[in-house]
Amino acid sequence: MTAGKLPDPATPFGARVRTRLRDERVVWLTTVADDGTPQPNPVWFVWLDDHVLIYNRPDARRLSYLAERPRVGLHFDGDGQGGNIVVLSGYARRDDDAPAAHAVPE
């Protein structure tokens, strides 16, 4: 996924966004089904070269959703009290040239 413009890293919020992208491994990916229903799913990810890299099984339904509707949302779990919320939106695409999962040390 390519995120839109991220917040300024010099701000506390911008620094927190980058820390979460760098340090966390699970994020909620929300795609949209054929009938327009949002489809949130927890996924493992890597922040790599300013992109969110997510590996999927080749038969994952979300891949067909992304082919038709590439706009997605990503959000991290909060702190259980309504704080530490980070939500990103952007476009996802299948990248058949991405390195194999075992080739990405992260």
Side-chain angles (χ1 to χ4, degrees):
M1 179 191 128
T2 302
K5 184 176 179 183
L6 294 176
D8 182 349
T11 67
F13 180 65
R16 185 163 45 94
V17 168
R18 282 165 180 76
T19 297
R20 294 193 78 181
L21 285 166
R22 182 191 68 228
D23 295 346
E24 295 197 28
R25 292 291 153 242
V26 176
V27 69
W28 286 85
L29 170 67
T30 303
T31 57
V32 179
D34 297 334
D35 66 358
T37 305
Q39 300 293 315
N41 288 282
V43 296
W44 287 278
F45 80 98
V46 176
W47 180 245
L48 189 64
D49 299 327
D50 290 333
H51 290 80
V52 175
L53 180 59
I54 298 169
Y55 291 95
N56 288 279
R57 290 175 42 134
D59 60 346
R61 187 75 178 136
R62 73 178 65 94
L63 294 176
S64 66
Y65 298 157
L66 293 175
E68 295 293 321
R69 290 165 300 284
R71 287 193 61 106
V72 297
L74 289 177
H75 71 273
F76 292 96
D77 285 336
D79 64 7
Q81 301 296 315
N84 202 21
I85 303 296
V86 173
V87 178
L88 303 171
S89 61
Y91 291 88
R93 66 178 174 81
R94 184 177 181 138
D95 185 357
D96 292 325
D97 295 326
H102 68 274
V104 179
E106 295 83 1

